[in-house]
Amino acid sequence: MERFDVIILGGGLVGLTLGIALADHGVKTAVIDPADPVDTTAAGFDGRVSAISSTSCAMLSAIGVMPFLEGKGCPIDRIWVSDGLEPGALDFVPDEDDGVMGTMFPNRDLRVALEHAARGTAGLTRFQPDRTTRVARTADGVEATLASGATVRGALLVAAEGRNSPTREAAGIRTTRWTYKHMAMVSAIDHERPHANTAYEIFYVGGPFALLPMLPGTRSAVVWTVPTDQAPAMLKLSERAWLAEAQKRIGGFLGEISLAGPRSAYPLGFHHAAHITDLRLALVGDSAHGIHPIAGQGLNLGLRDVAALVEVLVDGMRLGLDPGDAQLLARYQRWRGLDAMMTSIAMDGLVRLFDIPGRLPRLARRAGLAAVQRTSLLKGRFMAEARGQSGALPRLLTGEMV
Ligand SMILES: Cc1cc2nc3c(=O)[nH]c(=O)nc-3n(C[C@H](O)[C@H](O)[C@H](O)COP(=O)(O)OP(=O)(O)OC[C@H]3O[C@@H](n4cnc5c(N)ncnc54)[C@H](O)[C@@H]3O)c2cc1C
């Protein structure tokens, strides 16, 4: 029987980051995941790219993941938001000393970097691939039996199992959820004119079309949201027809385009757990909340959970508390519950606002975009949100260890 302070179920982007961050602070941690890292880091497993906010980047630096991402990310220097191809776009360009708003990384590079960092982390034990056959949480601790025959004990169980978290369900934690009548088609294009490190969010009724800057400077990731009933036909389009449809949405401002990656599709939904803690249990990442990828905030929200949970646990353990202590979990719940809820609601509102058809809603949206464009205070708040700088920041998000 092996003993740990924390047992994490799920070694995806959020779970593995948490494992590394906790172990780096001397917290003895186990990560259990049925997925084999050989498969999850293979080309083609996850073709998405993620906008990692500057505060999330600061945490990845602090816990030693950033060196493995050297030369892989494209900075986002500017965010351009428009209502279709109508004039009156919102253009976010930070002041020079404010630095970049975030960095685009291919998910595969993030997975490989975490894998390298995890291998060199003392105090982190990985049971991957392995799965639990029995998990018991009691007032005394957590015990899990694994399919491999191992038994592990810990003081706290963390569910980082993604949106369909079985541990959340078994704990009877209710979730508010709905599916958007949207699918996200994800791919990459090469374009004739450089993107100049700009992320474009072009909103259409039926779904937003996002172009996210990648390396080299003439490649962008495409996150193209289409109504679910149109998705099968869109996915069946020939490469030429797909590019022609994409070009209609881009309006030609990047010049000629060609396909630079495979096309894949993801169903989109919203879910939010009523609470993110229970007896010796904490939820992080998509196990706690799932949002529309409209502004690329889902993973960042999960990384904010990681930073807050690490701070709460490390502070508590330094005071001699057990990491499963109810007071510590209550602090985590208070810290993360509100921020996750506010971000989720804001993203959902944005999706709905731009999905209303008709001339009047379009005029109202244009007036709204123009008002934000003119008001530096509002613009500053949006940019702080993109950087992940809103709310009470855990130390890791400022680049400091706890
Ligand atoms: C199209 C699209 C684009 C996106 N773009 C962005 C973006 O630009 N920026 C951004 O911040 N976010 C983005 N997101 C959101 C982001 O991808 C997710 O929020 C993030 O991947 C969630 O990570 P996670 O580790 O919580 O969950 P997951 O990635 O789902 O990982 C869960 C892990 O748990 C394991 N597991 C499952 N069940 C168990 C179990 N019972 N026991 C043990 N292990 C288990 C799984 O094998 C898996 O490895 C996007 C999402 C979509 C759909």
Side-chain angles (χ1 to χ4, degrees):
M1 163 109 51
E2 270 198 84
R3 282 180 183 278
F4 296 92
D5 296 312
V6 178
I7 299 172
I8 303 170
L9 298 182
L13 294 172
V14 174
L16 198 50
T17 307
L18 177 65
I20 296 167
L22 283 172
D24 276 352
H25 285 86
V27 180
K28 200 171 173 227
T29 305
V31 172
I32 303 165
D33 194 316
D36 190 331
V38 174
D39 299 332
T40 56
T41 53
F45 176 80
D46 183 352
R48 292 173 297 167
V49 287
S50 291
I52 304 298
S53 67
S54 56
T55 51
S56 296
C57 285
M59 173 166 75
L60 293 178
S61 289
I63 63 172
V65 178
M66 245 343 152
F68 300 108
L69 286 166
E70 200 60 56
K72 308 277 187 200
C74 181
I76 304 169
D77 290 334
R78 181 177 177 202
I79 301 178
W80 170 274
V81 183
S82 64
D83 191 4
L85 297 170
E86 302 279 334
L90 192 50
D91 189 10
F92 296 107
V93 187
D95 293 336
E96 231 165 68
D97 23 326
D98 281 346
V100 297
M101 285 180 274
T103 307
M104 294 303 308
F105 289 106
N107 277 15
R108 179 171 182 231
D109 290 332
L110 288 169
R111 288 176 188 277
V112 170
L114 286 170
E115 193 54 39
H116 283 304
R119 275 188 221 143
T121 304
L124 176 65
T125 306
R126 295 173 67 201
F127 297 88
Q128 270 182 274
D130 207 343
R131 63 175 71 240
T132 53
T133 53
R134 188 191 68 95
V135 182
R137 286 183 291 122
T138 66
D140 298 330
V142 177
E143 191 177 295
T145 311
L146 309 188
S148 59
T151 303
V152 290
R153 274 216 169 154
L156 176 69
L157 185 70
V158 177
E161 303 164 319
R163 51 185 56 214
N164 297 318
S165 170
T167 304
R168 180 190 67 216
E169 300 303 310
I173 299 177
R174 282 179 299 111
T175 50
T176 305
R177 58 170 65 229
W178 53 82
T179 43
Y180 293 109
K181 295 190 179 91
H182 288 158
M183 296 276 287
M185 291 197 297
V186 176
S187 192
I189 54 168
D190 282 329
H191 35 80
E192 204 182 356
R193 295 194 199 118
H195 50 55
N197 299 350
T198 306
Y200 295 94
E201 288 281 358
I202 311 172
F203 286 87
Y204 288 99
V205 169
F209 184 97
L211 285 168
L212 308 158
M214 290 174 77
L215 296 177
T218 49
R219 177 167 294 180
S220 292
V222 176
V223 183
W224 180 355
T225 311
V226 293
T228 308
D229 54 353
Q230 294 173 18
M234 294 296 286
L235 284 167
K236 274 196 219 126
L237 286 179
S238 67
E239 185 174 322
R240 220 175 122 163
W242 189 90
L243 283 168
E245 284 298 321
Q247 188 63 291
K248 273 191 216 159
R249 272 132 188 111
I250 301 170
F253 65 81
L254 289 171
E256 291 292 315
I257 58 170
S258 57
L259 208 55
R263 290 181 272 159
S264 49
Y266 296 82
L268 299 178
F270 173 101
H271 66 270
H272 198 86
H275 45 103
I276 53 171
T277 58
D278 195 51
L279 176 69
R280 293 193 179 272
L281 173 67
L283 309 182
V284 292
D286 278 16
S287 290
H289 37 68
I291 60 176
H292 197 288
I294 195 165
Q297 288 299 323
L299 175 57
N300 288 304
L301 264 189
L303 295 176
R304 262 139 73 181
D305 295 343
V306 167
L309 188 58
V310 171
E311 187 157 327
V312 165
L313 297 181
V314 171
D315 279 354
M317 287 170 77
R318 282 187 190 141
L319 293 173
L321 294 174
D322 162 331
D325 189 287
Q327 290 174 65
L328 299 184
L329 295 180
R331 184 176 169 218
Y332 172 63
Q333 168 74 52
R334 279 195 304 275
W335 199 347
R336 291 304 303 145
L338 187 65
D339 173 56
M341 170 70 102
M342 297 310 282
T343 308
S344 303
I345 289 173
M347 294 306 132
D348 184 63
L350 213 52
V351 175
R352 290 176 197 277
L353 177 68
F354 281 93
D355 205 24
I356 309 171
R359 192 170 153 269
L360 274 181
R362 197 166 59 236
L363 287 176
R365 287 192 295 258
R366 273 173 68 183
L369 289 179
V372 178
Q373 176 71 10
R374 280 195 307 269
T375 318
S376 55
L377 191 71
L378 274 177
K379 272 184 96 174
R381 285 196 63 171
F382 277 105
M383 284 194 277
E385 201 59 53
R387 284 196 193 91
Q389 284 170 335
S390 58
L393 279 195
R395 269 167 273 172
L396 273 174
L397 293 183
T398 64
E400 280 173 48
M401 295 292 270
V402 178

